[in-house]
Amino acid sequence: MTLVNHLIHGEMTAGTGRTADVFNPSTGQVSKQVALADRATMQQAIDSAKSAFPAWRKTPPAKRAQVMFRFKQLLEDHEAAISKLISEEHGKTLEDAAGELKRGIENVEFACGAPQILKGEYSRNVGPNIDAWSDLQPIGVVAGITPFNFPAMVPLWMYPLAIVCGNCFILKPSERDPSSTLYIAQLLQEAGLPKGVLNVVHGDKEAVDALIEAPEVKALSFVGSTPIAEYIYSEGTKRGKRVQALGGAKNHAVLMPDADLDNAVSALMGAAYGSCGERCMAISVAVCVGDQIADALIEKLTPQIKALKIGAGTNCGLDMGPLVTAVARDKVKGYIDAGVAQGASLVVDGRDLVVSGNENGYFVGGTLFDRVTPEMTIYTDEIFGPVLCIVRVGSLEAAMQLINDHEYGNGTCIFTRDGEAAHLFCDEIEVGMVGVNVPLPVPVSYHSFGGWKRSLFGDLHAYGPDGVRFYTRKKAVTQRWPQRASHEAAQFAFPSNN
Ligand code: NAD
């Protein structure tokens, strides 16, 4: 059986740790094994990154960017192979896999601008014969820990930018779908990245703890569930590391009575059921302002949910594939059971879906609940599956209060034709990323991505301008070249221009 190896100092290695099974979620079969790093293997990667850092930090940003230009080309050339690897291990459709890769490539494009984004600030004559400048310098060895649901895009949020900023990077991808992540890293080696600047080390808690505890690792970027985000944030910051830890979500879409219903329905179908609901920006709650819009929404959604084309993600032309693991499938079905038991009205039930020819795959059909209330677990918890909950409220203010009271604050959106309502919503909603008639408001690569409340721990958002701040340290230099003949006596008062 194929073993998915680590990439350490430019070489593929199995290391000395354990292994785990990798499944094809469409068939339920074990397709590969993945190496799980022990502490000794992780230390090899840390040593490699440390040894590569002095030369890489001195490499001109323009040269670093040239590697990224070649990398971008290679990613585009290998889109079909990467999408197939994603789909085989994650289960998402080929088209959806290609979409995540394209959004990842946007981050490589942003990193290609390294000479521009790393330009410092300069002020001449801040005092007599004194100039001052600020410089953005790399941090050193930094690490990223990424989730299963975007094995291409989320790692590409992190290391292209970290690397063009002059750092050396250790990536610990999800052990559930590691192959596309590794394949992409190999393309970066092919693009001319020096050995050790990027190391990919697979693993579980043991590997992550080794990164948290290593004094050589100066910063940690994490994307995953909220409990692990909190753990990494608290353990990392306790050790003096910079940490940005992006966590889970419960994203609400508000439907105002004047919404363009047909467009809102199309948007909700894609945002709730695309990728089987396994997106941190998936819409899982539709908040309907008034019964009329709720009834009309259900009437239009129901036949479309029942008509979803569901099957093995590697087949073309589907809407939805399976969930990632049997555990994920059982968890989602458990939430649907709980919703029924707690009194929500189950409009479309996806629990009994069987995909002919893929009977052992981890499938759950599109599911719709109506009359969901805030104390139900299908409302409070992140289900991470194809389940949309309708909550009925009487006003925009009530809809906003509901959203503001939720512990998560990743993404949200409003469907309306009323500019005043949209403006109020954008201004006062306590969520990090907001869409107006846009269901998945994932910022483009030159803005930054991040939620509020328990969806993000740390001060800076991911990628874009905040990513540059996260992966660099600012140094301010004040420089004076006194005129040769001059001599100044010692000053004991604090120097100023006044
Ligand atoms: P996860 O938290 O289970 O795993 C994320 C990473 O943490 C993986 O690399 C995993 O190996 C590692 N990990 C798992 N258990 C660990 C432990 N006990 N100690 C240390 N490390 C551990 O998340 P997942 O299931 O892979 O991904 C889905 C979650 O990620 C959802 O909650 C989703 O909302 C979230 N997510 C958030 C964003 C965002 O930008 N906010 C983006 C994508 C996914």
Side-chain angles (χ1 to χ4, degrees):
M1 183 157 296
T2 309
L3 179 70
V4 184
N5 283 306
H6 312 294
L7 174 66
I8 298 179
H9 214 67
E11 307 293 332
M12 304 300 288
T13 168
T16 49
R18 297 160 289 134
T19 60
D21 292 337
V22 178
F23 290 85
N24 179 336
S26 297
T27 64
Q29 301 295 307
V30 176
S31 59
K32 290 175 193 161
Q33 299 257 293
V34 59
L36 300 179
D38 56 11
R39 282 170 185 270
T41 305
M42 186 57 89
Q43 192 58 47
Q44 283 173 15
I46 294 168
D47 293 344
S48 158
K50 201 175 163 198
S51 70
F53 180 60
W56 185 244
R57 93 181 266 287
K58 289 223 181 289
T59 303
K63 287 237 176 262
R64 296 184 209 140
Q66 282 162 13
V67 177
M68 290 299 155
F69 275 104
R70 292 192 289 270
F71 182 41
K72 170 183 151 65
Q73 189 60 54
L74 287 169
L75 288 170
E76 286 171 349
D77 294 347
H78 290 76
E79 178 189 302
I82 295 167
S83 303
K84 184 164 175 288
L85 283 174
I86 295 172
S87 185
E88 280 169 357
E89 294 180 0
H90 175 285
K92 66 175 74 174
T93 66
L94 286 172
E95 295 82 354
D96 192 26
E100 81 154 281
L101 177 63
K102 288 189 176 103
R103 292 303 298 262
I105 290 172
E106 286 181 10
N107 293 91
V108 180
E109 289 167 352
F110 182 74
C112 287
Q116 170 68 23
I117 58 187
L118 293 172
K119 264 196 327 203
E121 294 164 334
Y122 189 90
S123 300
R124 206 172 67 79
N125 246 2
V126 297
N129 296 317
I130 300 176
D131 299 337
W133 75 85
S134 305
D135 198 11
L136 294 174
Q137 299 202 340
I139 304 171
V141 177
V142 300
I145 299 144
T146 52
F148 82 86
N149 67 325
F150 286 110
M153 183 182 77
V154 170
L156 290 173
W157 284 359
M158 298 177 181
Y159 65 77
L161 193 54
I163 284 172
V164 293
C165 288
N167 301 287
C168 292
F169 201 93
I170 299 166
L171 175 66
K172 207 301 288 168
S174 172
E175 67 280 27
R176 287 183 242 168
D177 50 6
S179 296
S180 61
T181 320
L182 180 66
Y183 186 96
I184 290 173
Q186 287 174 291
L187 292 180
L188 183 50
Q189 294 297 131
E190 195 183 322
L193 193 75
K195 287 179 180 181
V197 177
L198 174 66
N199 296 280
V200 179
V201 186
H202 307 288
D204 54 15
K205 181 170 167 44
E206 183 178 357
V208 173
D209 284 343
L211 285 171
I212 293 173
E213 287 162 26
E216 302 92 331
V217 176
K218 303 297 180 197
L220 292 167
S221 300
F222 171 85
V223 177
S225 61
T226 287
I228 311 296
E230 270 187 303
Y231 169 74
I232 288 174
Y233 183 76
S234 91
E235 292 300 314
T237 50
K238 206 186 281 176
R239 291 168 173 81
K241 294 185 202 304
R242 246 180 222 200
V243 184
Q244 58 176 195
L246 282 65
K250 192 81 181 177
N251 306 310
H252 300 65
V254 175
L255 275 93
M256 295 295 285
D258 67 349
D260 171 345
L261 193 58
D262 284 327
N263 279 325
V265 167
S266 298
L268 281 180
M269 284 299 298
Y273 302 110
S275 205
C276 212
E278 290 174 320
R279 289 180 183 144
C280 65
M281 292 291 274
I283 295 292
S284 50
V285 184
V287 188
C288 293
V289 178
D291 285 330
Q292 213 176 340
I293 188 100
D295 294 339
L297 178 69
I298 291 168
E299 198 183 318
K300 285 187 182 275
L301 275 178
T302 303
Q304 294 197 28
I305 298 170
K306 290 183 175 164
L308 280 167
K309 286 180 266 162
I310 303 173
T314 41
N315 294 339
C316 290
L318 294 173
D319 299 323
M320 222 172 88
L323 289 157
V324 67
T325 57
V327 172
R329 177 200 56 199
D330 295 345
K331 180 179 147 201
V332 171
K333 285 189 178 183
Y335 272 114
I336 301 173
D337 295 344
V340 173
Q342 291 167 19
S345 149
L346 184 57
V347 182
V348 185
D349 183 357
R351 283 175 294 185
D352 295 328
L353 176 78
V354 176
V355 173
S356 163
N358 287 83
E359 287 77 7
N360 295 321
Y362 309 134
F363 294 96
V364 175
T367 298
L368 181 66
F369 275 110
D370 186 19
R371 302 195 181 276
V372 174
T373 52
E375 68 288 349
M376 295 178 182
T377 49
I378 51 170
Y379 177 75
T380 53
D381 297 4
E382 180 181 46
I383 301 175
F384 226 53
V387 181
L388 180 63
C389 297
I390 295 179
V391 179
R392 296 170 180 238
V393 295
S395 65
L396 173 60
E397 288 68 23
M400 290 172 59
Q401 191 62 54
L402 184 79
I403 298 170
N404 288 347
D405 286 346
H406 203 285
E407 63 171 333
Y408 294 123
N410 213 39
T412 188
C413 61
I414 184 168
F415 291 95
T416 184
R417 290 190 172 98
D418 179 347
E420 190 183 346
H423 186 268
L424 177 76
F425 188 76
C426 293
D427 193 35
E428 296 193 6
I429 205 72
E430 289 177 21
V431 172
M433 292 170 283
V434 183
V436 176
N437 300 317
V438 172
L440 297 175
V442 177
V444 290
S445 64
Y446 37 100
H447 288 260
S448 297
F449 180 109
W452 286 12
K453 299 186 274 185
R454 284 165 58 76
S455 292
L456 186 143
F457 302 88
D459 303 314
L460 293 169
H461 288 193
Y463 67 74
D466 265 18
V468 177
R469 288 180 200 111
F470 184 76
Y471 290 124
T472 56
R473 287 194 289 191
K474 210 166 220 183
K475 185 176 276 178
V477 180
T478 306
Q479 172 178 267
R480 178 181 208 185
W481 296 105
Q483 289 175 343
R484 274 171 206 273
S486 69
H487 172 76
E488 273 187 22
Q491 281 186 30
F492 296 96
F494 204 67
S496 85
N497 271 326
N498 297 319

